[in-house]
Amino acid sequence: MIVFGTKGYLYQLAILTLVCGRCGNPSAHALRKRVTKFTLFFVPLFPFSTKYTTQCTFCGAEQKVTKEQAEQMQGVGGAVGGRTDTPPQQSYRP
């Protein structure tokens, strides 16, 4: 018997002050990286999906961004606590 599946990880990369495209308010936006890894016998082996998003803290709107945009945002806005990649906040199931 072989047990396999996926496990998701959510990393908060930075908190940025941006103007929201949905509500138009200048507010804090969380820049997040979502990584889904393939698991074998509950051991995460390799990532097969990586997505970057920003989420408005005022209205909750979430917007997808590319890896290049996320890296550029981190360079301009800085990261939380001066780190560029914090440990996962939570796991999620896609």
Side-chain angles (χ1 to χ4, degrees), residues 32-68:
R32 296 184 177 140
K33 175 177 156 182
R34 204 174 291 247
V35 180
T36 304
K37 293 186 178 184
F38 176 79
T39 61
L40 183 63
F41 293 104
F42 307 104
V43 176
L45 296 178
F46 58 89
F48 70 87
S49 173
T50 302
K51 296 178 184 176
Y52 294 87
T53 60
T54 60
Q55 184 176 22
C56 177
T57 58
F58 189 80
C59 69
E62 200 167 307
Q63 180 180 0
K64 291 182 182 179
V65 294
T66 65
K67 180 180 180 179
E68 292 77 22

Side-chain angles (χ1 to χ4, degrees), residues 70-85:
E71 289 173 353
Q72 184 181 18
M73 286 180 187
Q74 279 185 288
V76 172
V80 177
R83 296 180 61 184
T84 57
D85 200 26

